[in-house]
PDB file of all heavy atoms in Angstrom:
ATOM      1  N   GLY H 292     -27.856 -45.791 -38.116  1.00 93.00           N
ATOM      2  CA  GLY H 292     -28.585 -46.986 -38.531  1.00 93.00           C
ATOM      3  C   GLY H 292     -29.883 -46.680 -39.115  1.00 93.00           C
ATOM      4  O   GLY H 292     -30.299 -47.265 -40.188  1.00 93.00           O
ATOM      5  N   SER H 293     -30.601 -45.575 -38.727  1.00 94.00           N
ATOM      6  CA  SER H 293     -31.815 -45.212 -39.390  1.00 94.00           C
ATOM      7  C   SER H 293     -31.560 -44.780 -40.929  1.00 94.00           C
ATOM      8  O   SER H 293     -32.312 -45.097 -41.788  1.00 94.00           O
ATOM      9  CB  SER H 293     -32.527 -44.016 -38.606  1.00 94.00           C
ATOM     10  OG  SER H 293     -32.755 -44.482 -37.308  1.00 94.00           O
ATOM     11  N   GLY H 294     -30.459 -44.132 -41.044  1.00 95.00           N
ATOM     12  CA  GLY H 294     -30.084 -43.698 -42.431  1.00 95.00           C
ATOM     13  C   GLY H 294     -29.803 -44.953 -43.331  1.00 95.00           C
ATOM     14  O   GLY H 294     -30.176 -44.950 -44.476  1.00 95.00           O
ATOM     15  N   ALA H 295     -29.217 -45.998 -42.834  1.00 96.00           N
ATOM     16  CA  ALA H 295     -28.930 -47.210 -43.464  1.00 96.00           C
ATOM     17  C   ALA H 295     -30.229 -47.844 -43.870  1.00 96.00           C
ATOM     18  O   ALA H 295     -30.410 -48.413 -45.017  1.00 96.00           O
ATOM     19  CB  ALA H 295     -28.003 -48.084 -42.776  1.00 96.00           C
ATOM     20  N   ALA H 296     -31.136 -47.822 -42.974  1.00 95.00           N
ATOM     21  CA  ALA H 296     -32.403 -48.534 -43.233  1.00 95.00           C
ATOM     22  C   ALA H 296     -33.249 -47.757 -44.294  1.00 95.00           C
ATOM     23  O   ALA H 296     -33.845 -48.330 -45.209  1.00 95.00           O
ATOM     24  CB  ALA H 296     -33.239 -48.522 -41.986  1.00 95.00           C
ATOM     25  N   ALA H 297     -33.162 -46.441 -44.256  1.00 96.00           N
ATOM     26  CA  ALA H 297     -33.739 -45.568 -45.338  1.00 96.00           C
ATOM     27  C   ALA H 297     -33.174 -45.898 -46.540  1.00 96.00           C
ATOM     28  O   ALA H 297     -33.840 -45.840 -47.632  1.00 96.00           O
ATOM     29  CB  ALA H 297     -33.704 -44.100 -44.874  1.00 96.00           C
ATOM     30  N   ALA H 298     -31.795 -45.978 -46.661  1.00 96.00           N
ATOM     31  CA  ALA H 298     -31.095 -46.288 -48.020  1.00 96.00           C
ATOM     32  C   ALA H 298     -31.568 -47.632 -48.580  1.00 96.00           C
ATOM     33  O   ALA H 298     -31.826 -47.638 -49.831  1.00 96.00           O
ATOM     34  CB  ALA H 298     -29.637 -46.415 -47.704  1.00 96.00           C
ATOM     35  N   VAL H 299     -31.892 -48.602 -47.690  1.00 97.00           N
ATOM     36  CA  VAL H 299     -32.296 -49.830 -48.269  1.00 97.00           C
ATOM     37  C   VAL H 299     -33.612 -49.656 -48.884  1.00 97.00           C
ATOM     38  O   VAL H 299     -34.045 -50.143 -50.022  1.00 97.00           O
ATOM     39  CB  VAL H 299     -32.353 -50.941 -47.162  1.00 97.00           C
ATOM     40  CG1 VAL H 299     -33.127 -52.186 -47.637  1.00 97.00           C
ATOM     41  CG2 VAL H 299     -30.973 -51.262 -46.589  1.00 97.00           C
ATOM     42  N   VAL H 300     -34.538 -49.054 -48.174  1.00 95.00           N
ATOM     43  CA  VAL H 300     -35.951 -48.872 -48.568  1.00 95.00           C
ATOM     44  C   VAL H 300     -36.007 -48.024 -49.875  1.00 95.00           C
ATOM     45  O   VAL H 300     -36.684 -48.390 -50.836  1.00 95.00           O
ATOM     46  CB  VAL H 300     -36.784 -48.170 -47.543  1.00 95.00           C
ATOM     47  CG1 VAL H 300     -38.158 -47.698 -48.065  1.00 95.00           C
ATOM     48  CG2 VAL H 300     -36.937 -49.117 -46.235  1.00 95.00           C
ATOM     49  N   LEU H 301     -35.253 -46.889 -49.952  1.00 96.00           N
ATOM     50  CA  LEU H 301     -35.239 -46.022 -51.029  1.00 96.00           C
ATOM     51  C   LEU H 301     -34.640 -46.704 -52.330  1.00 96.00           C
ATOM     52  O   LEU H 301     -35.126 -46.502 -53.468  1.00 96.00           O
ATOM     53  CB  LEU H 301     -34.484 -44.759 -50.773  1.00 96.00           C
ATOM     54  CG  LEU H 301     -35.188 -43.819 -49.764  1.00 96.00           C
ATOM     55  CD1 LEU H 301     -34.222 -42.575 -49.483  1.00 96.00           C
ATOM     56  CD2 LEU H 301     -36.501 -43.360 -50.302  1.00 96.00           C
ATOM     57  N   THR H 302     -33.629 -47.504 -52.115  1.00 97.00           N
ATOM     58  CA  THR H 302     -32.937 -48.187 -53.214  1.00 97.00           C
ATOM     59  C   THR H 302     -33.988 -49.211 -53.840  1.00 97.00           C
ATOM     60  O   THR H 302     -34.161 -49.321 -54.912  1.00 97.00           O
ATOM     61  CB  THR H 302     -31.670 -48.949 -52.764  1.00 97.00           C
ATOM     62  OG1 THR H 302     -30.834 -48.016 -52.286  1.00 97.00           O
ATOM     63  CG2 THR H 302     -31.090 -49.715 -53.972  1.00 97.00           C
ATOM     64  N   LEU H 303     -34.730 -50.003 -52.994  1.00 96.00           N
ATOM     65  CA  LEU H 303     -35.668 -50.977 -53.471  1.00 96.00           C
ATOM     66  C   LEU H 303     -36.836 -50.209 -54.205  1.00 96.00           C
ATOM     67  O   LEU H 303     -37.425 -50.838 -55.079  1.00 96.00           O
ATOM     68  CB  LEU H 303     -36.254 -51.741 -52.281  1.00 96.00           C
ATOM     69  CG  LEU H 303     -35.246 -52.730 -51.715  1.00 96.00           C
ATOM     70  CD1 LEU H 303     -35.959 -53.415 -50.465  1.00 96.00           C
ATOM     71  CD2 LEU H 303     -34.823 -53.826 -52.628  1.00 96.00           C
ATOM     72  N   GLY H 304     -37.030 -49.033 -53.909  1.00 95.00           N
ATOM     73  CA  GLY H 304     -38.091 -48.188 -54.513  1.00 95.00           C
ATOM     74  C   GLY H 304     -37.821 -48.101 -56.108  1.00 95.00           C
ATOM     75  O   GLY H 304     -38.652 -47.938 -56.890  1.00 95.00           O
ATOM     76  N   LEU H 305     -36.565 -48.361 -56.487  1.00 96.00           N
ATOM     77  CA  LEU H 305     -36.277 -48.293 -57.945  1.00 96.00           C
ATOM     78  C   LEU H 305     -36.928 -49.546 -58.749  1.00 96.00           C
ATOM     79  O   LEU H 305     -37.057 -49.396 -59.949  1.00 96.00           O
ATOM     80  CB  LEU H 305     -34.702 -48.407 -58.069  1.00 96.00           C
ATOM     81  CG  LEU H 305     -33.829 -47.155 -57.539  1.00 96.00           C
ATOM     82  CD1 LEU H 305     -32.434 -47.482 -57.755  1.00 96.00           C
ATOM     83  CD2 LEU H 305     -34.259 -45.891 -58.191  1.00 96.00           C
ATOM     84  N   ILE H 306     -37.326 -50.521 -57.958  1.00 96.00           N
ATOM     85  CA  ILE H 306     -38.002 -51.617 -58.723  1.00 96.00           C
ATOM     86  C   ILE H 306     -39.459 -51.871 -58.194  1.00 96.00           C
ATOM     87  O   ILE H 306     -40.098 -52.766 -58.652  1.00 96.00           O
ATOM     88  CB  ILE H 306     -37.199 -52.945 -58.656  1.00 96.00           C
ATOM     89  CG1 ILE H 306     -36.895 -53.328 -57.135  1.00 96.00           C
ATOM     90  CG2 ILE H 306     -35.888 -52.733 -59.506  1.00 96.00           C
ATOM     91  CD1 ILE H 306     -36.164 -54.664 -56.970  1.00 96.00           C
ATOM     92  N   LEU H 307     -39.844 -51.136 -57.061  1.00 95.00           N
ATOM     93  CA  LEU H 307     -41.170 -51.347 -56.539  1.00 95.00           C
ATOM     94  C   LEU H 307     -42.124 -50.341 -57.183  1.00 95.00           C
ATOM     95  O   LEU H 307     -41.749 -49.321 -57.803  1.00 95.00           O
ATOM     96  CB  LEU H 307     -41.123 -51.197 -55.092  1.00 95.00           C
ATOM     97  CG  LEU H 307     -40.287 -52.259 -54.268  1.00 95.00           C
ATOM     98  CD1 LEU H 307     -40.202 -51.948 -52.811  1.00 95.00           C
ATOM     99  CD2 LEU H 307     -40.956 -53.610 -54.562  1.00 95.00           C
ATOM    100  N   PRO H 308     -43.450 -50.652 -57.152  1.00 93.00           N
ATOM    101  CA  PRO H 308     -44.506 -49.800 -57.764  1.00 93.00           C
ATOM    102  C   PRO H 308     -44.367 -48.354 -57.387  1.00 93.00           C
ATOM    103  O   PRO H 308     -44.571 -47.497 -58.124  1.00 93.00           O
ATOM    104  CB  PRO H 308     -45.789 -50.508 -57.446  1.00 93.00           C
ATOM    105  CG  PRO H 308     -45.455 -51.939 -57.107  1.00 93.00           C
ATOM    106  CD  PRO H 308     -44.098 -51.970 -56.587  1.00 93.00           C
ATOM    107  N   TRP H 309     -44.107 -48.186 -56.089  1.00 91.00           N
ATOM    108  CA  TRP H 309     -44.035 -46.632 -55.683  1.00 91.00           C
ATOM    109  C   TRP H 309     -42.881 -45.929 -56.118  1.00 91.00           C
ATOM    110  O   TRP H 309     -42.684 -44.738 -55.876  1.00 91.00           O
ATOM    111  CB  TRP H 309     -44.243 -46.610 -54.109  1.00 91.00           C
ATOM    112  CG  TRP H 309     -43.354 -47.449 -53.366  1.00 91.00           C
ATOM    113  CD1 TRP H 309     -43.575 -48.688 -52.761  1.00 91.00           C
ATOM    114  CD2 TRP H 309     -42.008 -47.047 -52.850  1.00 91.00           C
ATOM    115  NE1 TRP H 309     -42.530 -49.104 -52.097  1.00 91.00           N
ATOM    116  CE2 TRP H 309     -41.538 -48.267 -52.092  1.00 91.00           C
ATOM    117  CE3 TRP H 309     -41.223 -45.953 -52.945  1.00 91.00           C
ATOM    118  CZ2 TRP H 309     -40.298 -48.160 -51.537  1.00 91.00           C
ATOM    119  CZ3 TRP H 309     -39.906 -45.946 -52.396  1.00 91.00           C
ATOM    120  CH2 TRP H 309     -39.520 -47.099 -51.683  1.00 91.00           C
ATOM    121  N   GLY H 310     -41.947 -46.674 -56.937  1.00 92.00           N
ATOM    122  CA  GLY H 310     -40.867 -45.927 -57.467  1.00 92.00           C
ATOM    123  C   GLY H 310     -41.219 -45.453 -58.840  1.00 92.00           C
ATOM    124  O   GLY H 310     -40.548 -44.544 -59.325  1.00 92.00           O
ATOM    125  N   ARG H 311     -42.429 -45.665 -59.363  1.00 92.00           N
ATOM    126  CA  ARG H 311     -42.851 -45.063 -60.567  1.00 92.00           C
ATOM    127  C   ARG H 311     -44.197 -44.201 -60.360  1.00 92.00           C
ATOM    128  O   ARG H 311     -44.447 -43.281 -61.189  1.00 92.00           O
ATOM    129  CB  ARG H 311     -43.023 -46.035 -61.664  1.00 92.00           C
ATOM    130  CG  ARG H 311     -43.902 -47.214 -61.311  1.00 92.00           C
ATOM    131  CD  ARG H 311     -43.804 -48.294 -62.335  1.00 92.00           C
ATOM    132  NE  ARG H 311     -44.494 -47.831 -63.575  1.00 92.00           N
ATOM    133  CZ  ARG H 311     -45.733 -47.925 -63.748  1.00 92.00           C
ATOM    134  NH1 ARG H 311     -46.534 -48.449 -62.990  1.00 92.00           N
ATOM    135  NH2 ARG H 311     -46.215 -47.466 -64.953  1.00 92.00           N
ATOM    136  N   VAL H 312     -45.001 -44.588 -59.390  1.00 94.00           N
ATOM    137  CA  VAL H 312     -46.176 -43.860 -59.048  1.00 94.00           C
ATOM    138  C   VAL H 312     -46.255 -43.596 -57.586  1.00 94.00           C
ATOM    139  O   VAL H 312     -46.008 -44.498 -56.810  1.00 94.00           O
ATOM    140  CB  VAL H 312     -47.442 -44.614 -59.500  1.00 94.00           C
ATOM    141  CG1 VAL H 312     -48.777 -43.822 -59.076  1.00 94.00           C
ATOM    142  CG2 VAL H 312     -47.409 -44.919 -60.884  1.00 94.00           C
ATOM    143  N   PHE H 313     -46.430 -42.293 -57.243  1.00 95.00           N
ATOM    144  CA  PHE H 313     -46.530 -41.978 -55.744  1.00 95.00           C
ATOM    145  C   PHE H 313     -47.692 -42.693 -55.044  1.00 95.00           C
ATOM    146  O   PHE H 313     -48.815 -42.835 -55.636  1.00 95.00           O
ATOM    147  CB  PHE H 313     -46.722 -40.494 -55.589  1.00 95.00           C
ATOM    148  CG  PHE H 313     -45.550 -39.644 -55.749  1.00 95.00           C
ATOM    149  CD1 PHE H 313     -45.642 -38.824 -56.867  1.00 95.00           C
ATOM    150  CD2 PHE H 313     -44.432 -39.621 -55.071  1.00 95.00           C
ATOM    151  CE1 PHE H 313     -44.511 -37.936 -57.217  1.00 95.00           C
ATOM    152  CE2 PHE H 313     -43.355 -38.940 -55.329  1.00 95.00           C
ATOM    153  CZ  PHE H 313     -43.374 -38.101 -56.330  1.00 95.00           C
ATOM    154  N   PRO H 314     -47.451 -43.272 -53.848  1.00 94.00           N
ATOM    155  CA  PRO H 314     -48.538 -44.067 -53.191  1.00 94.00           C
ATOM    156  C   PRO H 314     -49.785 -43.084 -52.966  1.00 94.00           C
ATOM    157  O   PRO H 314     -49.632 -41.911 -52.807  1.00 94.00           O
ATOM    158  CB  PRO H 314     -47.982 -44.487 -51.888  1.00 94.00           C
ATOM    159  CG  PRO H 314     -46.482 -44.352 -52.126  1.00 94.00           C
ATOM    160  CD  PRO H 314     -46.239 -43.380 -53.101  1.00 94.00           C
ATOM    161  N   ARG H 315     -50.971 -43.690 -52.936  1.00 92.00           N
ATOM    162  CA  ARG H 315     -52.234 -43.009 -52.842  1.00 92.00           C
ATOM    163  C   ARG H 315     -52.377 -42.224 -51.377  1.00 92.00           C
ATOM    164  O   ARG H 315     -52.995 -41.126 -51.399  1.00 92.00           O
ATOM    165  CB  ARG H 315     -53.446 -43.881 -52.908  1.00 92.00           C
ATOM    166  CG  ARG H 315     -53.614 -44.552 -54.281  1.00 92.00           C
ATOM    167  CD  ARG H 315     -54.100 -43.572 -55.351  1.00 92.00           C
ATOM    168  NE  ARG H 315     -54.376 -44.042 -56.640  1.00 92.00           N
ATOM    169  CZ  ARG H 315     -54.837 -43.418 -57.746  1.00 92.00           C
ATOM    170  NH1 ARG H 315     -55.005 -42.003 -57.530  1.00 92.00           N
ATOM    171  NH2 ARG H 315     -54.799 -43.924 -58.896  1.00 92.00           N
ATOM    172  N   TRP H 316     -51.654 -42.735 -50.480  1.00 93.00           N
ATOM    173  CA  TRP H 316     -51.821 -42.028 -49.134  1.00 93.00           C
ATOM    174  C   TRP H 316     -50.964 -40.718 -49.056  1.00 93.00           C
ATOM    175  O   TRP H 316     -51.127 -40.013 -48.086  1.00 93.00           O
ATOM    176  CB  TRP H 316     -51.368 -43.007 -48.023  1.00 93.00           C
ATOM    177  CG  TRP H 316     -49.965 -43.577 -48.252  1.00 93.00           C
ATOM    178  CD1 TRP H 316     -49.637 -44.781 -48.763  1.00 93.00           C
ATOM    179  CD2 TRP H 316     -48.648 -42.957 -47.813  1.00 93.00           C
ATOM    180  NE1 TRP H 316     -48.373 -45.006 -48.640  1.00 93.00           N
ATOM    181  CE2 TRP H 316     -47.680 -43.877 -48.194  1.00 93.00           C
ATOM    182  CE3 TRP H 316     -48.337 -41.750 -47.193  1.00 93.00           C
ATOM    183  CZ2 TRP H 316     -46.341 -43.625 -47.940  1.00 93.00           C
ATOM    184  CZ3 TRP H 316     -47.073 -41.479 -47.054  1.00 93.00           C
ATOM    185  CH2 TRP H 316     -46.013 -42.389 -47.425  1.00 93.00           C
ATOM    186  N   MET H 317     -50.095 -40.434 -50.003  1.00 93.00           N
ATOM    187  CA  MET H 317     -49.327 -39.277 -49.995  1.00 93.00           C
ATOM    188  C   MET H 317     -50.201 -38.011 -50.389  1.00 93.00           C
ATOM    189  O   MET H 317     -50.900 -37.990 -51.488  1.00 93.00           O
ATOM    190  CB  MET H 317     -48.066 -39.306 -50.907  1.00 93.00           C
ATOM    191  CG  MET H 317     -47.219 -40.396 -50.614  1.00 93.00           C
ATOM    192  SD  MET H 317     -45.672 -40.419 -51.559  1.00 93.00           S
ATOM    193  CE  MET H 317     -44.817 -39.028 -50.734  1.00 93.00           C
ATOM    194  N   PRO H 318     -50.344 -36.949 -49.534  1.00 93.00           N
ATOM    195  CA  PRO H 318     -51.158 -35.789 -49.780  1.00 93.00           C
ATOM    196  C   PRO H 318     -50.744 -35.160 -51.027  1.00 93.00           C
ATOM    197  O   PRO H 318     -49.611 -35.007 -51.279  1.00 93.00           O
ATOM    198  CB  PRO H 318     -50.908 -34.974 -48.524  1.00 93.00           C
ATOM    199  CG  PRO H 318     -50.365 -35.760 -47.507  1.00 93.00           C
ATOM    200  CD  PRO H 318     -49.608 -36.961 -48.230  1.00 93.00           C
TER     201      PRO H 318
END
Side-chain angles (χ1 to χ4, degrees):
S293 299
V299 173
V300 172
L301 291 175
T302 302
L303 291 176
L305 297 174
I306 56 174
L307 293 176
W309 50 267
R311 52 187 295 274
V312 179
F313 288 113
R315 293 285 181 183
W316 54 262
M317 299 187 74

